[in-house]
Amino acid sequence: MQQHDAKRVAIIIEAIMESRLRQALETAGVTGYSVLPVLGGSGRSGAWSRDDTFTRGGGMVQVICIVRPDRLDELLDAAFSVVDSHIGVVTISDCKVLRAERF
């Protein structure tokens, strides 16, 4: 089966910012993504848990997008328009997809 190069972008952001991030991505032409709850973690502000939602505004979510390499900069510009002024982490990794026409 033929494999095609793609980029996987994972964005961890405060749950209250999810709709703003999704809107920015859709405006940039990103038509597919998955949203997952983040159960907890540790970072610059220390350890936290999703159970600590009172002080964390509902916790964190991870938004995962897979795009063609030539669409990466547009996706990152959209993501950073939201993430840059809020708590968030953006990672990029290479991946392979089987049905390139879907990305």
Side-chain angles (χ1 to χ4, degrees), residues 41-88:
S42 182
R44 197 177 349 170
S45 300
W48 63 275
S49 168
R50 188 159 183 89
D51 296 334
D52 188 22
T53 57
F54 178 73
T55 59
R56 295 287 181 183
M60 306 285 278
V61 295
Q62 183 178 48
V63 179
I64 301 169
C65 312
I66 298 176
V67 296
R68 293 186 319 264
D70 64 325
R71 305 274 333 276
L72 180 63
D73 287 340
E74 191 174 6
L75 186 157
L76 293 177
D77 288 343
F80 271 94
S81 73
V82 178
V83 175
D84 194 35
S85 59
H86 297 279
I87 295 171

Side-chain angles (χ1 to χ4, degrees), residues 14 39 49 70 99:
E14 296 168 285
L39 302 178
S49 168
D70 64 325
R99 299 185 286 183

Side-chain angles (χ1 to χ4, degrees), residues 1-16:
M1 194 170 285
Q2 187 174 5
Q3 299 177 19
H4 305 273
D5 291 334
K7 297 291 185 179
R8 181 184 188 274
V9 179
I11 306 159
I12 298 176
I13 192 165
E14 296 168 285
I16 59 173

Side-chain angles (χ1 to χ4, degrees), residues 12-26:
I12 298 176
I13 192 165
E14 296 168 285
I16 59 173
M17 299 305 299
E18 176 193 337
S19 62
R20 188 179 297 177
L21 177 60
R22 286 188 295 117
Q23 182 179 14
L25 293 174
E26 290 169 6

